[in-house]
Amino acid sequence: MTRRLLRESTPALLFMLVVCAVAAAAIHASMAIPPAVYERIGSGAFPMALGVLALGLVGLKALSFLMAGGAQEEVESEAGPATAHSAAKAFGALALITAYFATFALPAVPFTLATSAFTFLMFVFLTGERRIPVLAAALISSVLFAFLVHYVFTSFFYVDI
Amino acid sequence: MSEVFAHILTGGLPWIVLGTAVGIFVGAIPGLSGAMVISLALPMTFFMSGEDALLLLVSMYIGATTGGLISATLMRMPGTEAAIMTTLDGYPMAAAGEPARALGLGVLASFVGSMIAWLILALLSPPLSLIAVRFGPYEIFAMTVVALSLIATISRGSLVNGLLAAVLGALVSLPGVDPITGTLRLTFGFHGLDNGFALLPVLLGALVLSQVLVDCGDAIRPMSATRGGSCVVMRMSDLARYAWTFLRSSLVGTWIGILPGVGGTTASIAAYSIEKAVSRTPERFGKGAAEGIIASEAANNSGTVGALVPLITLGIPGSVITAILLGAMVIHNLNPGPLLFAENPAIAYTIIGGVLVANVAMLAIMWLATPLLARLMYVNKAYLLPPIVVFCFIGAYSVSSRLFDAGVMLVFAALGYLMHKAKIPTGPFIIAYILTPMAEENLRSGLVIYDGSYLPLLTRPVCAIFLAVAVAFIVWALVSELRSFRKAAA
């Protein structure tokens, strides 16, 4: 398997690992569930069956993967036509979103401040904008948006943010 | 009935207009989908009555399907997957200097298709529900198996990928309180999982936030469009001139829409192919033929409405969006499934009536607001993505005011992104996540009722028919898979 093929197949391999981990956890937990008393199958039957099925499917996928020499099959996905995609940018966005969510664990940071900062930084991150007037406009819009959202959701939808 | 319609035309009307307008707007923007906007709107419906919530969501569903034709016609970029076939003739007609007529034909076809499908929905649903109301747990289980077997058809091209996604979705639905014994399972001693993974954070993460990550990674390019006005010109003479095309495509679309798991895209492809096959001048197709636009738009809209038939009569969601609508009914305690007509007739008739009014609203909005919508399509996604993340956070957090749910959403967003990169479809994941608890609860209830015997699954006629249909779907998918494998090997 060449290095390029390995790189292209990394998401599929990672996904198979995730399925394996979830299936193994389900099987392990279902074995700890006591057998059913008043019914034919108990609480553990579905997790056990699905866990085994998942492992079987991963095995099948791994087999077809090896037979195809690591090349990913073409599938009908909802992704649509291929476009230039930067995983680094997506991970950067994920890091920003995680940081945004994490700020809510700090009671000292109000929603409006965290949201203003996040929307502004995300805009700058996505556009790479450096012009001062545009940045100023983006900052003002972010602050207004944060206050508007806070007002609408606390006053009308009674969400405690 | 009259009370339901009175409510729709008074209290429900603003929600229908809002839902249709938002749906059309989102549908017009390539990359934003109806599933995204409906998932995002779900938490905002918490404060609404079940009827109003469904009116809003169903209107969004209808609007999003129609909105796709604007960008398909003016930019050759289908706003929704179901509008792919519209690009073939819509864009050439627009590029040839007739964008208003291309849009007009599309809007008219969408409206006629939806109305024909609505007639079938209104006529077919009540008698179907009378049969469905007699279903016991085994029948409901068998029906759920049919819906789950549709995953095989959704996953055409890669059955194993679809099944892997489905099994993962099913496993994720299991933690929490056991539906029969009431004991906790698969929580691993973690109290955050006592109620399992809540529906909304999973939906928002796997469908919306994961798409945001995909969009963030994609190069945001300026869009090009055809020149000329983007107003809508509808000619009533077209109705008479292309009457058979309207009727044929709408019926094909409705039929395919009713078949769970097939969807609007297949409906428009099938109707387009039929129209081309019966045309005396098939060479015009792909070069701006009016019949091509009509066939595609009438079929995808009628397919959208047709998909509501199995949803409201049997509780079978045939697509991701109808699965989300089913989830919305669960959230609002509306007991979706065969008993919906018996226990909540107002809800069933609200959906049917709401579809009718949403169709009219769609026609009016598309006619009057298309010039504005066409301009809004060029909004840079960098302006839209940060607010979507904020709404996602509020949506997940509002479920039970826990940061845990926001964390769950983040995990499922990363999973959804990984699935996108690995070319694993998310549709089967969502459908299995929603249907598995229903399947487990009914199978185990049936086993309790029938003293642990599985035999009634084969001896009860409805169960046997449903299971035979499920087996047929699976065999069909396996055969298709084998054929494509052989073709690829040759």
Side-chain angles (χ1 to χ4, degrees):
Chain A
M1 197 184 288
T2 64
R3 194 172 288 177
R4 188 181 69 85
L5 276 176
L6 191 65
R7 196 177 59 233
E8 282 175 2
S9 313
T10 305
L13 292 171
L14 270 176
F15 180 73
M16 280 151 66
L17 269 178
V18 170
V19 176
C20 277
V22 174
I27 291 170
H28 173 73
S30 64
M31 287 193 321
I33 297 173
V37 180
Y38 302 109
E39 53 169 340
R40 182 155 176 182
I41 60 170
S43 298
F46 259 68
M48 174 65 86
L50 287 168
V52 171
L53 182 62
L55 290 180
L57 285 168
V58 168
L60 204 62
K61 172 92 181 155
L63 198 68
S64 67
F65 199 72
L66 288 174
M67 281 169 69
Q72 278 211 68
E73 62 219 282
E74 282 299 314
V75 295
E76 278 179 28
S77 81
E78 298 136 54
T83 51
H85 186 85
S86 157
K89 205 156 187 186
F91 283 121
L94 182 63
L96 256 177
I97 295 168
T98 308
Y100 171 56
F101 287 5
T103 56
F104 293 106
L106 310 168
V109 183
F111 174 84
T112 44
L113 179 64
T115 302
S116 309
F118 168 74
T119 44
F120 174 71
L121 290 174
M122 188 79 166
F123 171 79
V124 174
F125 175 72
L126 289 176
T127 57
E129 190 61 64
R130 295 287 178 272
R131 288 170 294 175
I132 300 294
V134 178
L135 290 178
L139 186 61
I140 293 166
S141 309
S142 300
V143 172
L144 287 176
F145 170 74
F147 275 96
L148 182 71
V149 167
H150 186 263
Y151 174 71
V152 169
F153 279 93
T154 52
S155 306
F156 296 101
F157 298 133
Y158 306 109
V159 180
D160 180 26
I161 45 178
Chain B
M1 273 287 281
S2 56
E3 280 174 21
V4 169
F5 274 91
H7 172 72
I8 291 170
L9 292 173
T10 53
L13 194 59
W15 298 119
I16 291 176
V17 174
L18 178 72
T20 312
V22 172
I24 290 172
F25 170 57
V26 168
I29 298 176
L32 300 187
S33 67
M36 270 178 89
V37 71
I38 292 172
S39 304
L40 269 177
L42 249 181
M44 295 173 205
T45 66
F46 286 168
F47 78 104
M48 296 161 70
S49 67
E51 284 94 337
D52 287 345
L54 280 173
L55 285 176
L56 179 77
L57 300 177
V58 168
S59 306
M60 282 178 171
Y61 175 42
I62 287 168
T65 310
T66 314
L69 90 92
I70 302 176
S71 47
T73 305
L74 299 179
M75 299 159 64
R76 208 181 204 164
M77 288 177 77
T80 55
E81 206 180 308
I84 285 171
M85 300 309 284
T86 312
T87 56
L88 297 184
D89 287 287
Y91 184 78
M93 187 184 273
E98 290 191 286
R101 176 156 161 72
L103 285 170
L105 280 169
V107 172
L108 195 62
S110 300
F111 178 70
V112 173
S114 296
M115 291 308 288
I116 290 174
W118 177 82
L119 261 179
I120 294 169
L121 171 75
L123 293 174
L124 206 64
S125 298
L128 254 181
S129 69
L130 285 179
I131 301 168
V133 78
R134 295 180 191 160
F135 288 2
Y138 268 167
E139 278 82 5
I140 297 174
F141 168 72
M143 203 175 67
T144 317
V145 172
V146 174
L148 285 169
S149 71
L150 296 167
I151 286 167
T153 61
I154 291 177
S155 319
R156 255 178 309 167
S158 180
L159 190 58
V160 177
N161 282 351
L163 291 177
L164 264 174
V167 172
L168 185 63
L171 281 168
V172 161
S173 74
L174 295 176
V177 180
D178 179 90
I180 300 295
T181 62
T183 53
L184 289 177
R185 67 174 178 187
L186 306 184
T187 60
F188 304 97
F190 187 59
H191 292 301
L193 281 176
D194 283 357
N195 286 321
F197 294 110
L199 175 68
L200 210 50
V202 175
L203 282 182
L204 288 171
L207 289 178
V208 186
L209 211 49
S210 65
Q211 185 61 44
V212 168
L213 293 177
V214 172
D215 286 345
C216 287
D218 285 342
I220 296 172
R221 290 175 296 192
M223 298 167 174
S224 59
T226 55
R227 285 186 176 187
S230 49
C231 59
V232 173
V233 171
M234 278 187 277
R235 293 182 198 151
M236 286 305 117
S237 58
D238 284 334
L239 263 181
R241 193 173 167 194
Y242 301 112
W244 284 112
T245 305
F246 279 110
L247 188 67
R248 214 167 17 229
S249 306
S250 304
L251 290 176
V252 167
T254 310
W255 171 243
I256 291 177
I258 290 173
L259 295 176
V262 188
T265 310
T266 312
S268 65
I269 293 170
Y272 187 91
S273 308
I274 290 170
E275 220 39 58
K276 193 175 174 181
V278 301
S279 173
R280 287 177 188 167
T281 51
E283 67 279 0
R284 289 187 305 110
F285 279 73
K287 295 170 187 165
E291 295 96 319
I293 302 171
I294 295 168
S296 170
E297 282 305 310
N300 68 29
N301 278 271
S302 55
T304 301
V305 178
L308 293 172
V309 175
L311 178 74
I312 62 173
T313 55
L314 304 171
I316 295 181
S319 64
V320 175
I321 298 189
T322 46
I324 299 168
L325 289 175
L326 186 80
M329 290 189 197
V330 172
I331 287 174
H332 284 274
N333 294 319
L334 298 176
N335 195 11
L339 292 176
L340 184 70
F341 264 91
E343 292 181 353
N344 278 312
I347 290 296
Y349 287 111
T350 297
I351 295 174
I352 294 172
V355 170
L356 176 68
V357 181
N359 282 339
V360 177
M362 176 269 288
L363 180 71
I365 293 169
M366 290 291 283
W367 192 8
L368 299 172
T370 293
L372 175 70
L373 286 167
R375 274 190 212 122
L376 286 174
M377 276 186 327
Y378 306 107
V379 171
N380 190 331
K381 273 194 193 168
Y383 298 117
L384 293 175
L385 298 180
I388 288 176
V389 175
V390 174
F391 290 132
C392 278
F393 169 75
I394 296 171
Y397 182 75
S398 64
V399 173
S400 49
S401 299
R402 293 187 307 173
L403 273 178
F404 172 75
D405 289 320
V408 167
M409 179 175 68
L410 211 53
V411 169
F412 281 95
L415 179 68
Y417 178 74
L418 180 64
M419 288 171 79
H420 174 89
K421 293 288 285 178
K423 294 180 181 164
I424 307 278
T426 47
F429 174 85
I430 296 294
I431 292 175
Y433 168 76
I434 290 177
L435 288 178
T436 304
M438 205 189 291
E440 184 186 11
E441 187 177 351
N442 283 291
L443 175 67
R444 288 171 64 190
S445 300
L447 283 170
V448 171
I449 292 169
Y450 295 105
D451 290 329
S453 171
Y454 290 100
L455 206 60
L457 279 170
L458 299 174
T459 54
R460 292 175 70 88
V462 174
C463 292
I465 291 169
F466 275 137
L467 290 180
V469 170
V471 170
F473 273 136
I474 292 167
V475 169
W476 178 42
L478 280 173
V479 170
S480 309
E481 187 77 3
L482 273 175
R483 269 188 200 155
S484 58
F485 184 73
R486 276 188 196 153
K487 213 181 266 179

